[in-house]
Amino acid sequence: MNYQIIVCGGLAPDPLQTLEPVFDTVNPSLRNELMLPFVFDPWAAHALYEAGHLAKQRPGTTVRVVSLAPKAKLQQVMMTVAQKLPFELVALDGPGGGFTDARAVAAALAEAIASMPDLDRARLLLFGGWESATRGAGAVMQRVAERLGIREQFLAVDELSVAEDGSLLIKERIEGGRHQISRCAGPPAMLAWATGSLPEPPNHPQTGMANMRVILPALQKAKTVTLAQTAEYLRAALPAAVRQTRVVKDVPAAEIARELAEWIRQ
Amino acid sequence: MSASTTAPRREHLPALPGDDVRQVLWRFADRYDLQMLVQSVRAVARGPVARLVAQGGRHTHDWTPEKHALLKEFDAAGITAAYLEPEEGGFLEGPKNLALALIAFELAWVDAGAATCSLATHLGLAPIHERGTPEQRRHYMSLAAPAPGREPKRAAFALTEPIPYVGVETGLLGGKVRIAEWPEGGEPILEVSKRGRFITNMAFANFVTAAVDSADPRIKGSCMVILEEDDPGIFDRGTPTRKLVHQLSATNDPVFQLRVPASRIVGGYTVQDGVIVPNYDHSAIIEAVFRRTRVTVGLMTSAKLLSAIEPLIRYHRDRFRGAEAVPPGSPRYELGLQQKEDVTHRLIDIWAAGEASASLGFAAARLFDELDPVEREKDRMLAEQGVRGPLAAHKAMRKRQHEAIEFIEMQGHNQALRNEERYQQLAADPVIRYLVLDAQANVLCPATKLWNTGHGSVMMREAVSLMGGYGITEDCPGFLGYKWMDSQLEATYEGPEAVQRRQLSVTMTNEVFLAQFRNWIHEMRQIASVEPGTGACTLASAMHLWLWTLEHLQHARDAQGQKLYQTSRHGVTFPMADALCWLLASRCQILDVENLRREGPGRIQQGFEGTVQFLTDLCHVQAARAAGEVARICSEIVYGYLRHPSWDDSPQCSTCFEEVELRQIESVVPGASGFTSEVYREDGAHDTKAGPCVRAPGLNDFARLRAKLDGCLAGALLAKDRAAESVQKVMIPAALDYPQ
């Protein structure tokens, strides 16, 4: 059996950048947000790599990425992501980042997916990140699945394999550092990926060139999306960095470790 | 009429210029193939290459397995195939000069040795690409393409030989070729012997393109031959060169003594009266090769300068953080060393030089992309007209030179006033287009190589010094110490500075180039009228001064009556070449920023005003610096060869006033003594100086231009102050993005 894999993935500012919140009760943002280099959200990227891996094993499988982000940023990011593996893009031009509302984002993504003319629910695997590098609420994928009527939902997925009878074996992370293995009869299903087990594919400009032939037109006809902002923000701040220095002599390593652990617990 | 009492709000540079800005500046915003290549190369540079440098991979000149592993990274990232045509296994359509320039830039951002390693493969292939026969091209270029399950064959370029042979002087070839066998009716077998020195890629190259001279009356002149590692004879890779820099490239001193078929002569040959006549001698091939590859070398140093900015700003800001006496929130905590004007001003000098050199290098790369198809079209047309051989082609082109100048002059005219039909006719002629572009390329290429690496290495030293002692440690963020040392090699290989100056001293006097240069002065004046903050006015005045000086030097003579502008007079021609480089770099920088001003608003989402304002200020700073250099050089040359007048020269002394005489005049016309030149005292002695002050009646125009140029410097240091303020405020990433 081959699949129609749809990967939902947004963008996140490059984590090495200085991320300084600019507070606004309705529309908070980051300082110089649109000047920062962005990356494809790392959680969604894992989902994409797993999708590519599955597509390689199952000839005829297609991979589509649905992304809601500022169009210009998305185009820049695609210059890297498009080199990883073959896929098509459905672009939604709208706000991204950590201050968008999960409900509104899910609605926009679900609408874009539902309106795909060749959507085949019997082959549909909906992939995405379990959470995101922007806010990490972990709420978007379930909402998209619910809106599309997909009841088989798996969170924090680390591995997917297809059994001979076509059923899906899915390994999910659960508490205590353990995994839970579920068997799902088949599509449609939603898999929100944790880190998976695949490395990032190397860049391959030839793949990118082939992808861009369909990605650029998709970017040009990206639908503009306005997200209803229902949340009110009371505060936006970076985690505080605390530095305390004490000069000591002749203290055993174990004692230093105990003291450090105590300090961290505080 | 209302008047505003508040100054317009000034935008500062919000964040370091990102890819979106660079793509517009360097004109590849519409080339997604190049944008992807940049991302792909960057991942290799800031990942495996940077890790290897950080792990101490540069500490040996041996070719280690870790260094060799980079080749596979290059293959996977498309770097190896970037030089090839799609039908040969490549993926980029059309000319590839800009693509290779971007590769070099991205790799050299981290380590120029890695850049050299990747580009040396292309250099080895270049003779075949530029002048090889169709069969040679098809065979060797395809071999060089990475393919699934097969390692690509890698090339090296062997020109340099042990002293006293080929090096700076490319004509002194010690490598020899003779005929070993010539079977009746069959292909001759050649015996090639050559010793190489400083040959890059030699530790692993599978084939070599080597320059050799004939040692046999049955072979005419010199040629380049392709040597394969499996050819019968000696293919000794030699010992690693004990170089101190570029340690991520393999450099050896090889020895070859091989037998190869004559079909390995690059570009093929004909047999005339029993003599093998190569279609191209080695000089013709290396000229075609180096004029392209030297641009990429120049850009390596540009990348170093621009890569130094972020680590320097971070170091300066963080310098005192963590000290007990420096509480968070205090100016010393927030700004660190950036509180000191010297630090920010010197950083601005480095940044401006980096921007200018990158602009010059990428302009040259784009020019070659434009030139390549025109050159092929020109060759085709000449062949159709029955023009064969380089000499005949040169003669044919010279005949059309006046038309090229006519075309350029028409370009400078108002469209409404020129003969549009004639203009369009000339514009459509490939020979005319070739002459125009070629004249530019013959200047821009050596200028990039000379100025980017020469001045770049000076500015890299400045960057290292701005890091204090940290700068010359292995721990220095951005590997600045390594980059400083590497830049010295970039100034040397593929033709050291003297070679570039020599070439410029010839090509910059080409009338086709000078006609374009005149238009460029006008172009700068036009920009200055709309955007005076760019420093275009300063630059135009400096260009005018340089042009006047060059024209003056063509007929001027020194105190001994010797002609000033002549081949062997390096004291005149070389500084003039240096001065031109400053002008060209500054011009390209201004044009790039003007392009950003035009094209940016639709592409840059945030911070456009501040970014353009800052880059404009950098242009002004650089234009002023260029103008200063040009003024100094031109003044030295124009006046420096005049004999200083002496008190012993009777004609001069006859104009001197006696002191008593002056006092009498002053009593009648107060202040009149101020208009006199020289005075001698009652005892007949003069002031304690060499002689009367110099008067040069024929140089009034020069003095006027020089005075005008000095005035044009107005505002340049205000621009520097503004840029320095931006540097204090600009947001930088929390950490350097390499090694990853």
Side-chain angles (χ1 to χ4, degrees):
Chain A
M1 180 180 188
N2 56 42
Y3 303 103
Q4 198 176 54
I5 306 176
I6 295 175
V7 182
C8 299
L11 308 185
D14 181 343
L16 283 179
Q17 297 295 321
T18 302
L19 306 178
E20 192 181 317
V22 178
F23 183 62
D24 179 296
T25 52
V26 181
N27 288 311
S29 63
L30 295 172
R31 187 179 158 213
N32 299 322
E33 184 164 342
L34 294 179
M35 287 192 78
L36 299 174
F38 276 60
V39 295
F40 199 59
D41 191 287
W43 301 90
H46 291 307
L48 178 62
Y49 306 151
E50 294 286 347
H53 181 66
L54 182 59
K56 249 190 205 168
Q57 294 171 328
R58 298 269 155 180
T61 296
T62 58
V63 178
R64 262 181 216 165
V65 173
V66 182
S67 193
L68 168 59
K71 189 164 75 169
K73 285 289 166 202
L74 191 55
Q75 181 167 336
Q76 292 289 337
V77 170
M78 281 299 134
M79 294 304 154
T80 304
V81 180
Q83 299 192 43
K84 305 291 183 188
L85 54 108
F87 65 84
E88 294 170 26
L89 176 72
V90 176
L92 301 175
D93 185 11
F99 299 107
T100 51
D101 183 69
R103 179 170 168 269
V105 172
L109 293 174
E111 188 190 335
I113 295 168
S115 62
M116 287 176 186
D118 58 347
L119 187 70
D120 181 358
R121 286 168 188 271
R123 294 166 55 224
L124 177 63
L125 291 179
L126 181 66
F127 280 21
W130 168 39
E131 53 181 334
S132 70
T134 49
R135 183 181 52 239
V140 173
M141 287 311 297
Q142 299 96 307
R143 285 177 175 275
V144 176
E146 287 296 331
R147 284 174 178 271
L148 292 172
I150 300 172
R151 301 286 174 248
E152 300 293 351
Q153 300 176 10
F154 303 90
L155 300 179
V157 177
D158 261 343
E159 196 175 308
L160 165 68
S161 55
V162 182
E164 281 186 10
D165 62 356
S167 61
L168 306 172
L169 292 173
I170 298 159
K171 195 192 265 187
E172 291 169 283
R173 285 184 191 180
I174 54 171
E175 288 177 2
R178 293 186 296 173
H179 281 100
Q180 166 181 291
I181 299 176
S182 309
R183 183 185 289 271
C184 169
M190 185 280 281
L191 286 80
W193 286 84
T195 55
S197 57
L198 299 176
E200 181 178 343
N203 289 321
H204 192 250
Q206 290 93 325
T207 301
M209 300 269 293
N211 272 342
M212 289 315 278
R213 290 198 185 98
V214 288
I215 288 176
L216 277 183
L219 281 164
Q220 279 161 5
K221 57 184 180 191
K223 187 179 158 192
T224 303
V225 172
T226 310
L227 298 181
Q229 187 59 282
T230 51
E232 184 184 349
Y233 292 85
L234 300 178
R235 198 163 67 92
L238 287 179
V242 181
R243 180 189 176 117
Q244 288 177 358
T245 307
R246 191 160 69 86
V247 180
V248 293
K249 271 199 260 184
D250 304 330
V251 178
E255 178 63 18
I256 294 172
R258 190 199 58 73
E259 200 175 317
L260 282 173
E262 186 65 30
W263 183 79
I264 292 167
R265 270 192 216 109
Q266 289 169 8
Chain B
M1 183 178 171
S2 64
S4 170
T5 53
T6 55
R9 192 169 153 266
R10 244 193 65 76
E11 299 273 345
H12 286 289
L13 177 70
L16 299 177
D19 282 329
D20 47 357
V21 174
R22 295 292 177 204
Q23 287 160 10
V24 179
L25 280 175
W26 300 334
R27 327 292 168 87
F28 64 104
D30 295 324
R31 293 281 307 270
Y32 67 79
D33 51 346
L34 297 185
Q35 292 173 29
M36 277 192 292
L37 184 65
V38 164
Q39 297 302 328
S40 186
V41 179
R42 187 175 295 167
V44 174
R46 302 185 193 192
V49 171
R51 284 198 296 272
L52 186 55
V53 175
Q55 287 160 9
R58 290 177 54 117
H59 295 169
T60 171
H61 36 253
D62 288 327
W63 189 245
T64 61
E66 293 77 22
K67 293 180 191 178
H68 196 80
L70 290 182
L71 298 178
K72 287 197 167 56
E73 300 283 355
F74 295 161
D75 295 344
I79 297 171
T80 311
Y83 187 62
L84 310 174
E85 300 299 330
E87 61 272 20
E88 296 160 350
F91 57 95
L92 294 173
E93 304 270 359
K96 307 191 173 40
N97 300 287
L98 182 56
L100 298 185
L102 288 165
I103 289 176
F105 187 88
E106 283 298 329
L107 286 171
W109 188 276
V110 175
D111 187 88
T116 300
C117 183
S118 89
L119 294 174
T121 304
H122 305 149
L123 180 63
L125 289 168
I128 303 170
H129 182 268
E130 298 299 328
R131 295 288 182 256
T133 63
E135 296 76 26
Q136 287 169 345
R137 273 205 291 271
R138 202 162 37 244
H139 179 66
Y140 288 100
M141 304 300 274
S142 303
L143 281 180
R150 178 179 69 79
E151 274 240 5
K153 299 290 182 190
R154 302 187 199 276
F157 178 82
L159 173 66
T160 310
E161 297 172 350
I163 290 170
Y165 293 108
V166 60
V168 174
E169 174 55 77
T170 54
L172 290 174
L173 275 174
K176 298 296 177 200
V177 58
R178 50 181 67 82
I179 295 172
E181 293 172 40
W182 196 336
E184 187 68 33
E187 186 178 23
I189 302 295
L190 309 177
E191 181 168 300
V192 177
S193 58
K194 181 171 174 97
R195 292 167 65 88
R197 183 172 66 94
F198 228 102
I199 305 300
T200 307
N201 276 11
M202 212 45 247
F204 52 82
N206 306 103
F207 62 94
V208 174
T209 42
V212 285
D213 202 0
S214 169
D216 193 317
R218 290 172 294 167
I219 304 175
K220 188 181 175 191
S222 68
C223 63
M224 292 200 80
V225 287
I226 304 165
L227 309 174
E228 295 185 9
E229 59 183 340
D230 300 328
D231 286 330
I234 300 167
F235 187 98
D236 183 349
R237 298 180 185 280
T239 52
T241 310
R242 293 163 64 82
K243 64 186 193 301
L244 294 168
V245 294
H246 279 222
Q247 296 291 30
L248 296 193
S249 67
T251 311
N252 289 39
D253 298 347
V255 180
F256 307 108
Q257 181 84 39
L258 298 162
R259 284 186 167 212
V260 299
S263 60
R264 298 278 190 81
I265 294 174
V266 175
Y269 64 94
T270 55
V271 176
Q272 296 173 15
D273 301 328
V275 175
I276 292 176
V277 182
N279 290 338
Y280 299 100
D281 66 18
H282 86 286
S283 302
I285 295 174
I286 60 177
E287 187 195 333
V289 169
F290 278 160
R291 73 188 304 218
R292 287 164 175 83
T293 55
R294 280 172 175 159
V295 172
T296 53
V297 177
L299 277 164
M300 288 185 198
T301 320
S302 314
K304 294 178 200 314
L305 292 178
L306 293 178
S307 77
I309 302 305
E310 185 192 321
L312 283 172
I313 293 176
R314 184 175 297 106
Y315 172 74
H316 294 152
R317 280 197 193 151
D318 294 355
R319 180 64 181 80
F320 304 116
R321 290 182 189 176
E324 280 180 24
V326 183
S330 65
R332 210 170 184 211
Y333 182 93
E334 296 300 330
L335 291 174
L337 286 170
Q338 286 196 328
Q339 283 183 296
K340 311 292 181 193
E341 187 176 270
D342 176 59
V343 168
T344 51
H345 274 203
R346 285 164 68 191
L347 181 78
I348 288 300
D349 286 336
I350 295 167
W351 199 335
E355 294 290 344
S357 67
S359 291
L360 174 61
F362 285 118
R366 291 193 304 271
L367 178 65
F368 277 107
D369 273 358
E370 198 181 342
L371 178 65
D372 282 356
V374 176
E375 187 173 15
R376 276 194 291 277
E377 179 67 4
K378 177 264 306 178
D379 289 343
R380 190 190 59 76
M381 275 190 70
L382 291 182
E384 278 176 9
Q385 291 163 11
V387 179
R388 302 258 185 275
L391 202 62
H394 183 69
K395 275 186 185 168
M397 301 301 279
R398 273 197 73 81
K399 280 186 191 162
R400 306 285 313 274
Q401 196 163 314
H402 69 280
E403 290 176 86
I405 294 169
E406 180 191 354
F407 172 67
I408 294 162
E409 286 170 352
M410 289 173 92
Q411 277 183 319
H413 293 163
N414 188 319
Q415 197 175 348
L417 299 178
R418 71 186 176 206
N419 179 345
E420 193 61 21
E421 190 185 339
R422 173 68 176 154
Y423 177 77
Q424 293 302 337
Q425 182 193 353
L426 292 171
D429 189 329
V431 174
I432 300 301
R433 275 190 290 144
Y434 174 77
L435 281 167
V436 172
L437 294 175
D438 187 56
Q440 262 193 65
N442 284 336
V443 171
L444 286 198
C445 171
T448 301
K449 175 69 170 62
L450 173 62
W451 191 80
N452 285 19
T453 60
H455 182 58
S457 65
V458 172
M459 297 314 282
M460 266 317 294
R461 195 208 70 84
E462 192 76 355
V464 169
S465 76
L466 280 179
M467 274 277 185
Y470 205 15
I472 46 169
T473 66
E474 291 173 15
D475 304 325
C476 178
F479 311 131
L480 298 192
Y482 290 144
K483 287 175 181 171
W484 171 38
M485 288 177 70
D486 283 352
S487 64
Q488 182 53 44
L489 180 57
E490 286 138 37
T492 301
Y493 70 4
E494 288 204 26
E497 286 154 299
V499 170
Q500 309 309 320
R501 289 188 174 109
R502 171 81 184 83
Q503 190 186 340
L504 271 171
S505 68
V506 175
T507 57
M508 71 189 187
T509 56
N510 178 352
E511 277 305 321
V512 180
F513 169 73
L514 290 175
Q516 294 179 78
F517 191 82
R518 289 187 190 95
N519 281 358
W520 294 349
I521 296 175
H522 184 58
E523 173 193 45
M524 285 297 119
R525 294 267 183 238
Q526 283 183 319
I527 291 174
S529 68
V530 183
E531 296 293 344
T534 53
C537 176
T538 317
L539 191 68
S541 296
M543 291 166 83
H544 199 168
L545 187 76
W546 180 87
L547 188 60
W548 188 96
T549 306
L550 186 75
E551 287 166 353
H552 166 75
L553 292 173
Q554 300 308 309
H555 52 78
R557 294 175 183 271
D558 66 11
Q560 282 77 43
Q562 298 295 315
K563 203 166 178 293
L564 281 181
Y565 204 94
Q566 52 177 310
T567 308
S568 58
R569 197 127 203 193
H570 296 170
V572 175
T573 56
F574 283 17
M576 285 301 286
D578 286 333
L580 176 62
C581 294
W582 282 92
L583 297 172
L584 295 175
S586 183
R587 172 182 174 264
C588 291
Q589 184 184 10
I590 291 171
L591 292 179
D592 279 356
V593 172
E594 285 311 298
N595 189 60
L596 179 68
R597 202 187 307 279
R598 272 193 313 275
E599 305 289 330
R603 299 176 189 269
I604 316 295
Q605 289 188 296
Q606 192 182 15
F608 175 72
E609 287 301 326
T611 304
V612 169
Q613 178 61 55
F614 175 76
L615 293 174
T616 302
D617 285 338
L618 286 191
C619 286
H620 203 159
V621 168
Q622 189 61 28
R625 182 72 208 283
E629 286 293 319
V630 170
R632 177 185 63 77
I633 291 169
C634 291
S635 295
E636 276 182 10
I637 296 173
V638 166
Y639 291 109
Y641 287 99
L642 301 177
R643 196 176 81 82
H644 196 291
S646 157
W647 301 127
D648 301 332
D649 299 339
S650 54
Q652 267 105 1
C653 212
S654 65
T655 61
C656 294
F657 285 84
E658 196 182 348
E659 204 171 10
V660 179
E661 191 182 1
L662 258 192
R663 274 201 294 270
Q664 289 170 350
I665 296 172
E666 186 73 18
S667 66
V668 179
V669 186
S673 61
F675 296 97
T676 60
S677 53
E678 308 297 344
V679 179
Y680 62 90
R681 292 190 290 271
E682 287 176 22
D683 60 359
H686 293 86
D687 284 350
T688 47
K689 56 179 188 164
C693 287
V694 177
R695 287 185 197 161
L699 299 177
N700 287 345
D701 284 348
F702 181 84
R704 186 178 51 77
L705 289 173
R706 173 74 206 257
K708 181 181 176 185
L709 175 56
D710 289 349
C712 284
L713 295 175
L717 290 183
L718 294 175
K720 196 174 205 174
D721 278 345
R722 283 196 300 271
E725 194 183 344
S726 261
V727 162
Q728 288 177 326
K729 294 178 176 168
V730 66
M731 191 174 87
I732 60 167
L736 198 62
D737 66 350
Y738 63 95
Q740 285 175 359

